Amino acid sequence: MWTTLLKVDEEKARHGKRVKLKELNAAMDVQVELSRLDSSLKRHTGLIKRMRQSLGTDHRDQILKDIDSLSLEKYIDEIAGATLEGITRCKTEKDVWSAVEVVSALHRRFPAAFTPPLISSLSAALAAPSRAALSALPPEQREKEDSARVSRQRPLLRVCSELALVGIITDGQKRSGGEWIMKVLRELLSNDPTLSSLPLLSTFLKSYSRPYLGLTPPQSKQISAEAEPGTLSSATTNATQGEFPTLLNESEELVEQDIRDRFKRMCEGYFDSVSKKLIIEHKRLQDQDRRNHEAYIRSGEIFEDRQQAYEKMTKGYEKLLASCQTLSELLYMPMPSLPTVSQKSDSIQIGANAVSGDEDDPLATSGGKWEDEEERRFFEDIQDLKDFVPKSVLGIESDEKEDKEKLEEELEGLKLDGDQVNGRKDTTAEVEMHEGEPDGTITPTPTSPTKASSPPLSPQLAPQGPSQLLTALLARLPDATNRAMIDQAAIDFAFLNSKAARKRLIKFLGAVPKNRTDLLPHYARFVATLNRFMPDIGAELVALLDEEFRYLQRKKNVVKELAEVRLKNMLYLSSLTKFSVVPSHLILHMFKVCLDDFSGTNVENISMLLEGCGRFLLRSDETRERFGTMLELMRRKQSMQHFDQRQILLLENAYYQCNPPERTPRQQKERTPLELFIRHLIYDVLAKKTIDKVLKLLRKLDWDDPIVQRALHKVFTKPWKIKYGNINLLAMLTYDLQRYHPAFAISVVDQVLEDIRRGLEQNVYSTNQRRVAAIKYLGELYIYRLLGSILVFDTLWSLVTFGHPEGHPLPRQPCPMDMPNDFFRVRLVCVLLDTVGMCFDRGTQKRKLDNFLVFFQYYVLCKEDLPMDVDFMLSDSIEAIRPKMTMYKTIEEAAAAVDDMFNSALQNAGLSTGEDSGEDSDEEGERPQQQEDEDGDTTGQESSNEDRTPSPDPVIVLSTQEHLGPSEEAEAEFEKELAKIITDSSTESRKVDKKTAWWDSAVLAPNLRKKRADEGDADAGGDNNPDGNAVMQFTVITKRGSKQQGRHLLVPAESALAVHTRSAQLQDKVEQQHLKRLVLDYEQREEAEEMKALEVRNRTGAIKIRYVG
């Protein structure tokens, strides 16, 4: 109650302000001395600029001050335009009232020069949009235009409503502008079939329902459902007069009583139209929901176009429902009762495990009577001409009463009394006629029988006669090759409906050219659309085709000349049968006639009938039994009679097309919502733009839950289930998750390697696509540093050696796991090389890949001749990574290259050809154990990869060219260390005092060294003296004058001096061997580079030979 009283006080305050301003505008007692007014251009420009920005409360005081102090006569037109622009920026109620005060001040100064142009501009700005312009726009652009228009017209309508109340906009002398506002609103609403202007009415009613409609809020909002739409507002007002405080007397009202009554009736009529449209949309939405459910039961899925249409329809319905609820609250009228669905289970549940009923029916498991959803929509979703053509044109005036009763039943709670409704409509019509509007309808609805508008292409708009229009329509029919065009043609013909027109149409439809069989299904849809209201069209066309069928039966001996006519006749009858235009007994009779004489052309007729409508007849309830019996009879006759191969093929194809073999429905795997969510993220959402979003969502999962880990592991280890182009995104996602869950990434890599090995062991053709995806995934994992190059090379060598005896492919020798005519492993190697080959272009990895490519060529030549596609794939892959590589043509060249590669690798490794195994050196050899780490490998997973359990398979030879010499990095490091040692040694040598440390650089005399070498025990490390104790012999050098003398000294081997000396000697020996090996490798690499340069020079340059005669 306090809220109601507060609203009353606010309404009284607004009324008081309007009355004062209206009296002030009516007085027109503005006294201005022109001599004191400022006419400077600068101040006038500032005023116009300020008015363009806004007429709100921020600029109100300054604008009013400028209006009183400036001359303004020369700038009236600009001020009017600026006023209109400033009004559109007024959003709040205070801004609107501020704009009204500014306009009033200008009106009082210039009532004749300013007010009429402003009112004319406001009327143009509030005009309804052009239908032709809107219809030319696409739906999305049309919605944007409507939204922008509504936001632009909303403040204009509020300001105009205030101006009409304060006496600036008037309908005449001493009359308010209520009728002007009503006409503006009626124009907006009546030219708006999409109800896009409905928010404008809601905005108007929120602020001005009391002064313009005379509505007062009831004390209680519990409104009876039996109240009538036409009288509810007045009844509510009258019922609450005793309880609700009276606001104003009639003499104090700003809008006349008759205008208020007409305004109220107009709004109630509009609400009535919106309610009817809401009921229609509600029923359409329920029908679409039911059809979706039926389609889901039949096919197990909802097609994307159907789902999008349903979502769009739902969005439009919800928007309409919200608008209708707003109008109901503002007009204090009850909402219409919406019919509910009788069975809740009919609603569609996408993703649920729906169970199709009729499991015992054998035909239910093999599909319905339509092959797919598109065919079902074409033959079943036929438009109703009543929605587009007036009933008087269709000749169904007698059904108007029944439709009215049906509408009353649908409205349920709004049970309308027929007499009162008609009386209200008559009164409304009289009022509209009095206002100069001959059309009594407020707003057109999409399904209103009394539509004022016809389709854009309707012939009634064209200035021609019926005969010319029908001729033009028949000329358009051969080009109508889609549903939209043929449906529009049916609507156009309905406006031309007459007996003569129907005869011309039947004659035209019966004379389809023989070579235009593509038109027959569309013509059949055209006939089915018209047949509901013009049954003679379908009956006469079927009779015409029946007569043609009988004629063709009499001319069975004429085969070639009438073959196209027979085809056209059968296809036409089949299409009409599926539209239920041809009676079932007639098509069955034709089938029986052909079956009785089961030979010659009748075999082709039966085949065409079975392909055209056999599935429909076999699965329709009324024809299932009889047609099934005829099919069995046909099969028995086919087995007893003799047909040529072409006829047998025709009959078999036709039979299995209409009655495919039974198959059990595919069982849908039940998955938890969490698993479905994970699959949706990876299979549907994952893309380049959404990978960060997917990563965040995956990280938010409960990784401690084993169920979640198992679901993620399944998805991440099955790359063949995603798009081939998204495999790199899956690897990138695995790399991102590795930082947070390293164990998960390791398990993914292990599983991928296991899948590759399982594919090599099984070699099943059906899993080839999976193996390609797994190999691609492995390469992408290497690129994102989830595994090292060792695993990549192991996989490459496994692909070319696994399953062969001792890992050695032999030319043309069959192998159970890798036959000579099986080239799939070549494809796998090419896929892996295409993925990671460009990464191995330097250092040790480059040499490893070069060695593998040599052996790979040998492996390829061991196969049979490559198919063209595999040959092209191999050439492209090798050219991409090694464009200058030598390609071997024969198996002998490749085998020699492989032998040279293995021999050089074994020699450079310091091994003989027979040390590692007892096999002959003629074999290709085995892969030596790699003792050195890879120099170019940057992955952080090397340690974990090296700890992997070795494979039980024979050792596979890897690249051996890495032992030819140190790499460039090792050579640079060696030179750096050598330079440092030389520098340090030279520095220290300069610091040594030679006089005091001469013995440090003392050298044995030649005779002493020879004598020591002959004795042979100085470097032996020790000897036994005659007493049996181990001793070490030292040579003590003494110098007497300039002559050196040496004396042997025996020191026990256990003494500290002997132990230290011996360890120093061993260390010097190891360093000496290391330096020796480095020098030899360096010399060998220099020789190899010289040979390579010589070879390149010999290739590029030509050798000149001069013959001397």
Side-chain angles (χ1 to χ4, degrees), residues 788-809:
S789 61
I790 293 178
L791 290 179
V792 175
F793 282 109
D794 283 348
T795 304
L796 286 172
W797 283 95
S798 299
L799 290 174
V800 297
T801 60
F802 183 81
H804 293 277
E806 299 181 357
H808 301 273

Side-chain angles (χ1 to χ4, degrees), residues 702-745:
D702 185 10
W703 284 79
D704 296 331
D705 188 357
I707 299 178
V708 175
Q709 291 185 1
R710 185 162 55 251
L712 288 168
H713 187 269
K714 286 182 180 179
V715 173
F716 275 82
T717 55
K718 296 180 179 179
W720 54 85
K721 288 193 174 183
I722 66 175
K723 295 179 181 178
Y724 190 77
N726 287 348
I727 293 180
N728 61 329
L729 301 179
L730 189 64
M732 188 188 305
L733 205 58
T734 309
Y735 169 74
D736 292 333
L737 291 173
Q738 178 203 15
R739 293 179 290 178
Y740 311 101
H741 308 283
F744 173 75

Side-chain angles (χ1 to χ4, degrees), residues 250-266:
E250 182 60 33
S251 59
E252 299 176 352
E253 294 287 350
L254 297 176
V255 181
E256 293 79 6
Q257 178 67 37
D258 58 336
I259 295 179
R260 294 203 305 271
D261 294 340
R262 288 159 54 194
F263 216 142
K264 182 169 60 176
R265 287 196 298 270
M266 186 191 76

Side-chain angles (χ1 to χ4, degrees), residues 903-950:
N903 292 332
S904 61
L906 293 174
Q907 291 175 3
N908 294 332
L911 301 174
S912 63
T913 56
E915 284 180 345
D916 290 342
S917 64
E919 298 176 356
D920 295 335
S921 59
D922 294 336
E923 300 290 338
E924 279 81 14
E926 295 182 347
R927 181 169 120 191
Q929 298 294 330
Q930 304 294 326
Q931 300 295 335
E932 299 178 1
D933 295 336
E934 292 179 315
D935 298 323
D937 196 3
T938 59
T939 177
Q941 302 293 329
E942 289 296 331
S943 59
S944 62
N945 293 333
E946 292 174 359
D947 296 338
R948 291 173 56 88
T949 304

Side-chain angles (χ1 to χ4, degrees), residues 294-352:
E294 294 174 355
Y296 184 74
I297 292 298
R298 283 193 302 270
S299 59
E301 61 178 345
I302 301 297
F303 289 91
E304 185 177 358
D305 55 346
R306 178 181 286 271
Q307 187 173 353
Q308 291 177 356
Y310 181 75
E311 292 175 356
K312 184 178 180 180
M313 189 182 299
T314 304
K315 183 179 179 181
Y317 170 76
E318 292 176 352
K319 184 178 179 181
L320 180 61
L321 179 62
S323 302
C324 191
Q325 290 175 345
T326 303
L327 284 183
S328 174
E329 295 175 359
L330 295 174
L331 294 174
Y332 311 113
M333 298 178 67
M335 282 288 293
S337 298
L338 301 177
T340 58
V341 185
S342 58
Q343 294 181 354
K344 298 288 185 180
S345 61
D346 287 345
S347 61
I348 188 64
Q349 296 179 355
I350 299 177

Side-chain angles (χ1 to χ4, degrees), residues 682-698:
I682 303 300
Y683 298 157
D684 302 332
V685 180
L686 183 61
K688 290 183 179 180
K689 298 181 180 179
T690 61
I691 186 169
D692 294 333
K693 176 182 177 182
V694 173
L695 176 63
K696 290 180 181 179
L697 292 175
L698 290 179

Side-chain angles (χ1 to χ4, degrees), residues 1051-1062:
V1051 178
E1054 293 83 1
S1055 63
L1057 178 62
V1059 172
H1060 179 72
T1061 303
R1062 184 62 177 170

